[in-house]
Amino acid sequence: MLDVATGKTEKGFEGHASHVLGVAWRHEGRTLLSAGAEGAVKVWDYVGGDRKKSIDGWEGEVTSVSYVDYTGNLLTSSADKRVRLLTETGSEVKSFAGASDFLQSSAVSADGNVIIAGGLDGVLRVWDGKTGQVIAEFKAED
């Protein structure tokens, strides 16, 4: 972490085997997630700087990660064409199907009811967070 005013490093978090592609704060401001190109998400204690957990199970880069507001659940997108909702311990809550290529980003509404992701297939997909069903697709125009 950098001090914005001085540009000096305040804290370092080491543990990914490759570059970090996404980060997210938990609402309490003490827990940080990082998504790595080696196919893992790390859960960090920001105050102590210690890694609390490493979550594996992707077949490619984890390209984005975000918390679902106060639930403790997290949403990820990845190169293996999957959008997944997980608990902070790594258990899968739900998977959102439909992507046909490398996913670059994802986002979730604060209440978890709307999931959105896009990638190299040129389609921005919107899912119902409860049912996992695609509710809209926006395709790139030629």
Side-chain angles (χ1 to χ4, degrees), residues 7-43:
K8 293 183 181 178
T9 301
E10 289 183 347
K11 289 185 184 201
F13 298 89
E14 296 185 26
H16 282 283
S18 191
H19 52 282
V20 173
L21 297 169
V23 294
W25 286 103
R26 190 164 188 195
H27 72 278
E28 33 73 316
R30 298 179 53 94
T31 306
L32 183 66
L33 297 172
S34 57
E38 80 279 7
V41 170
K42 309 292 184 187
V43 182

Side-chain angles (χ1 to χ4, degrees), residues 2-10:
L2 295 175
D3 180 315
V4 176
T6 66
K8 293 183 181 178
T9 301
E10 289 183 347

Side-chain angles (χ1 to χ4, degrees), residues 70-125:
Y70 293 93
T71 66
N73 289 339
L74 50 123
L75 183 76
T76 65
S77 63
S78 64
D80 64 8
K81 308 173 197 170
R82 296 191 298 170
V83 176
R84 296 169 58 197
L85 181 66
L86 307 168
T87 66
E88 201 173 60
T89 62
S91 299
E92 188 171 294
V93 175
K94 191 175 299 302
S95 183
F96 300 90
S100 62
D101 206 339
F102 185 108
L103 287 164
Q104 295 172 312
S105 62
S106 64
V108 58
S109 63
D111 60 9
N113 288 334
V114 180
I115 309 295
I116 191 165
L120 293 181
D121 64 1
V123 179
L124 185 64
R125 287 181 182 78

Side-chain angles (χ1 to χ4, degrees), residues 56-70:
D56 300 312
W58 290 268
E59 297 172 16
E61 297 117 312
V62 181
T63 55
S64 69
V65 63
S66 56
Y67 270 109
V68 182
D69 207 20
Y70 293 93

